[in-house]
Amino acid sequence: MSSRVLQAKVDAREAFRDLVENTHSRVYRVALALLQSPHEAEEVVQETFVRAWEAFHELRDPSATTSWLLKIAGNLARDKRRLWRRRSNEPFDEATIEPLRSLLSPEGTIESPDEAVLRKQRADSLRRAVEGLKESHRVVIVLREIEEMTYEEIASALSIPVGTVESRLHRAREKLAKKLRRLVEREKTP
Amino acid sequence: MKCKEAKVAFSQHLDGRLGNIELERLDDHVHSCASCEEDFRIMEVSSRALRSLEPTPAPPYLAERAFRVALSSKRAARFSGQFVFVARRTAIAAALAAMGLWIGGGLTTGLRETEPRMTPVEADPVEVAIYIWTPGGILDD
Ligand SMILES: [Zn+2]
């Protein structure tokens, strides 16, 4: 094999390796947000990059490549999810609501023996509240707020226009605020 | 600005997507509407709390595994096989055409030139493409 041929082969593989390294965590987070299963999210990542390698010669523009990957991952995850659906319907107990009360109290932090523990409790309770939202709202909140994706990335992952991301996000935030308000205003059960 | 419009605007504001003029209008509304004020306070606090969570990390082995699986997948191999078949056919055609040109060129230029116009290339682009699209090689060498 001539050295130029070998070099071209190495270059293509290295370019693909860079692509995988730079994008796999975003692909994973999209899949995880949609599937809520780390194992299945990994399968989606795998399949997404098999397809990316198949089509690698067509993927030139790096920014278009990322949205292409997120779209593929989103489609694969949605196909998987059609088989089953999970929505957290567990009732909230006082132990879950109390951290939310302290988080949302206008006075700010109520007595905090351990700030880190309290932050963790609040985060867990908040996550649970988000998980109780309807699917389309849950997904945009997770992708935007926790996974820190741009509107454009979310639009690619969900195959929806950016305008729809915007309106879905505002409705999701409204629903979440309502839900949290209802929870923290609930009478304390002894 | 009405409550409904204010809610859309506030969500945009949380994502830094609201212009200054709209922000002023939103501010005016919030200061005159207790219901929105409380809703927005909750939205802002919960948004900040959610953003303080770390994005979910991908498993540390995932990138390397995804890379290897992609390069050795049977489907990619099948795809590559088709590509190689088409590429070989093209390469043979290209080689024949090149020979024709070379011979033709040699005949037409006759004795006027000491060197043929077409010199064999070191690496045929088609050959390069074949190697790029043949999975397994480098990694498993
Ligand atoms: Zn209002």
Side-chain angles (χ1 to χ4, degrees):
Chain A
M1 195 188 296
S2 86
S3 64
R4 271 165 64 180
V5 171
L6 183 66
Q7 196 51 49
K9 189 179 176 185
V10 170
D11 286 350
R13 281 165 197 235
E14 284 313 303
F16 184 65
R17 184 193 282 278
D18 285 347
L19 177 72
V20 176
E21 267 169 15
N22 294 332
T23 56
H24 79 282
S25 56
R26 262 176 296 172
V27 171
Y28 176 74
R29 273 139 56 188
V30 161
L32 188 65
L34 285 161
L35 291 163
Q36 296 173 282
S37 152
H39 174 72
E40 288 189 306
E42 284 181 32
E43 287 177 358
V44 165
V45 171
Q46 211 96 85
E47 179 62 22
T48 301
F49 285 108
V50 167
R51 292 188 188 194
W53 181 232
E54 283 173 14
F56 196 49
H57 62 298
E58 290 163 11
L59 304 171
R60 302 230 180 269
D61 173 14
S63 62
T65 301
T66 304
S67 46
W68 186 90
L69 288 168
L70 297 179
K71 198 183 181 76
I72 297 287
N75 285 338
L76 288 168
R78 278 194 300 279
D79 283 347
K80 262 184 192 292
R81 204 189 47 197
R82 273 186 204 122
L83 304 173
W84 53 269
R85 240 179 96 83
R86 181 167 60 197
R87 181 171 171 181
S88 167
N89 275 321
E90 272 178 71
F92 280 80
D93 56 12
E94 271 307 308
T96 316
I97 295 171
E98 201 42 52
L100 292 175
R101 273 205 192 97
S102 76
L103 173 70
L104 300 175
S105 113
E107 294 81 41
T109 312
I110 301 175
E111 84 277 16
S112 56
D114 190 333
E115 192 61 39
V117 172
L118 185 65
R119 213 176 313 129
K120 168 91 172 63
Q121 289 170 338
R122 285 170 169 179
D124 289 345
S125 296
L126 207 49
R127 259 183 203 276
R128 275 205 46 200
V130 171
E131 276 163 19
L133 293 173
K134 80 172 196 184
E135 184 66 6
S136 60
H137 290 162
R138 182 187 65 76
V139 169
V140 287
I141 291 269
V142 169
L143 290 178
R144 175 67 201 146
E145 306 284 44
I146 302 175
E147 307 301 356
E148 297 173 358
M149 300 218 164
T150 64
Y151 280 30
E152 289 71 22
E153 287 173 331
I154 299 172
S156 300
L158 304 181
S159 299
I160 55 177
V162 170
T164 308
V165 174
E166 193 169 80
S167 57
R168 218 177 262 186
L169 252 176
H170 104 75
R171 275 197 297 271
R173 284 176 168 143
E174 232 181 295
K175 293 279 179 198
L176 180 64
K178 261 199 193 102
K179 188 187 176 88
L180 293 171
R181 215 170 159 171
R182 238 189 357 255
L183 279 171
V184 300
E185 282 167 6
R186 197 167 87 177
E187 282 297 308
K188 281 192 187 184
T189 45
Chain B
M1 189 180 271
K2 293 200 168 115
C3 292
K4 202 174 167 190
E5 200 190 335
K7 285 188 166 90
V8 179
F10 191 74
S11 180
Q12 291 171 325
H13 165 60
L14 283 177
D15 294 323
R17 292 173 79 99
L18 203 61
N20 284 341
I21 296 165
E22 286 299 293
L23 194 58
E24 265 176 44
R25 291 182 62 220
L26 175 66
D27 213 40
D28 288 344
H29 177 85
V30 175
H31 284 110
S32 63
C33 178
S35 166
C36 277
E37 191 178 17
E38 179 60 3
D39 274 351
F40 295 169
R41 193 185 64 78
I42 293 177
M43 274 191 216
E44 189 158 24
V45 171
S46 54
S47 175
R48 209 183 314 127
L50 285 168
R51 284 175 192 191
S52 74
L53 299 173
E54 286 294 307
T56 318
Y61 53 82
L62 190 61
E64 186 61 24
R65 204 174 67 186
F67 174 71
R68 285 178 174 273
V69 168
L71 259 63
S72 60
S73 92
K74 282 196 183 118
R75 232 182 37 234
R78 203 181 326 127
F79 172 82
S80 169
Q82 287 165 2
F83 188 92
V84 168
F85 175 72
V86 173
R88 279 206 181 120
R89 228 172 34 185
T90 315
I92 291 165
L96 289 173
M99 274 175 73
L101 274 175
W102 187 79
I103 293 164
L107 286 175
T108 50
T109 50
L111 300 169
R112 282 183 290 116
E113 287 179 22
T114 51
E115 280 183 1
R117 275 181 195 164
M118 290 192 74
T119 49
V121 287
E122 199 186 318
D124 185 335
V126 177
E127 196 193 355
V128 172
I130 292 168
Y131 281 112
I132 290 171
W133 286 99
T134 307
I138 295 287
L139 258 188
D140 309 321
D141 286 349

